Amino acid sequence: MMTTVVLAAILGAVLLAAVYRENGSRAILLPDQVMTLFPAPKPLAAFVFIDHENRVFDLSRLKGKWSFLFFGYTHCPDICPTTLATLARAHENIAKSRAGAKDVQFVFISVDPNRDTAGKLRQYVTYFDAAFLGVTGDNAQLGNLAGQLGVAYQLAITPGIENYPVYHTTAVFLVDPRARYHAVFAPPLDAEGISKRFKVLRELEGPKAT
């Protein structure tokens, strides 16, 4: 378990370093270090997943909503359940705000499609929040979206061992209603910090993001 935590934290640090290198001075790290905002959001290219209701989840389902994306796997012993619990509290805070959460969705993207079936994803994500979506796809499609966001992950599959670990980036990625990569929330994640920063961003963007 400790190895998983340490490696995932390292992957998170690598991600943020890569983000800064890629975007240079265009990356704004806000004072409380909760959210890194990209003033020139990056449009995402097409991808195709399947959600926990066996429906197609593609680029079109990111349009018209603010989407919080988190990559992980259902067998995760610590980081994934902790993060989803934090995001559930953030969702609750956002829903209580004046703007509400009708244009907001939270999507858990499993990078372990061998074990994470639609049924397992449904049971897993709805435990934390009935509105959460669980999605996954084949390795090519997962690599496609992960590459666009700078997500790092690795499956440590060992023949004959069912409970293999998966090392993955621990950040949460924010996609705007025009399906553009707009911001990233860095660990350690805090529900209050996420919801407050998102409120400010949504107010600043207003109609521009739709």
Side-chain angles (χ1 to χ4, degrees):
M1 181 179 297
M2 183 59 67
T3 301
T4 302
V5 173
V6 171
L7 286 176
I10 291 172
L11 287 173
V14 169
L15 160 75
L16 293 179
V19 164
Y20 297 143
R21 285 198 301 272
E22 178 182 348
N23 293 276
S25 61
R26 295 189 293 111
I28 300 175
L29 184 60
L30 299 179
D32 59 11
Q33 299 186 3
V34 171
M35 179 173 73
T36 303
L37 174 66
F38 306 118
K42 174 185 175 183
L44 296 179
F47 63 87
V48 180
F49 295 147
I50 298 296
D51 72 10
H52 69 250
E53 298 292 346
N54 282 309
R55 300 169 300 183
V56 172
F57 187 93
D58 57 14
L59 193 64
S60 68
R61 290 185 62 183
L62 295 181
K63 294 180 179 179
K65 292 182 178 291
W66 289 95
S67 302
F68 291 79
L69 310 181
F70 177 64
F71 291 73
Y73 66 118
T74 65
H75 285 70
C76 182
D78 36 43
I79 294 169
C80 294
T82 299
T83 300
L84 290 175
T86 298
L87 291 178
R89 292 194 298 273
H91 184 205
E92 183 179 2
N93 292 341
I94 293 168
K96 291 177 180 177
S97 68
R98 184 175 61 181
K102 290 183 178 179
D103 63 341
V104 178
Q105 63 182 349
F106 290 78
V107 185
F108 176 74
I109 302 173
S110 172
V111 297
D112 186 19
N114 294 329
R115 292 183 294 186
D116 289 344
T117 62
K120 187 168 292 184
L121 283 170
R122 182 191 311 112
Q123 182 180 24
Y124 188 73
V125 298
T126 57
Y127 171 82
F128 297 96
D129 190 311
F132 280 8
L133 288 171
V135 308
T136 194
D138 62 33
N139 292 326
Q141 291 299 319
L142 287 167
N144 173 14
L145 184 58
Q148 295 183 63
L149 297 172
V151 174
Y153 65 93
Q154 180 181 2
L155 283 69
I157 297 177
T158 302
I161 297 179
E162 170 65 20
N163 194 28
Y164 55 83
V166 178
Y167 308 118
H168 58 91
T169 296
T170 57
V172 172
F173 304 85
L174 181 64
V175 176
D176 69 22
R178 293 169 63 182
R180 302 177 304 175
Y181 176 25
H182 207 109
V184 58
F185 295 91
L189 300 169
D190 170 71
E192 191 72 15
I194 290 173
S195 54
K196 283 183 176 180
R197 283 304 186 190
F198 174 67
K199 177 183 177 182
V200 172
L201 174 59
R202 183 160 60 170
E203 289 175 350
L204 286 173
E205 291 299 315
K208 294 187 298 180
T210 59

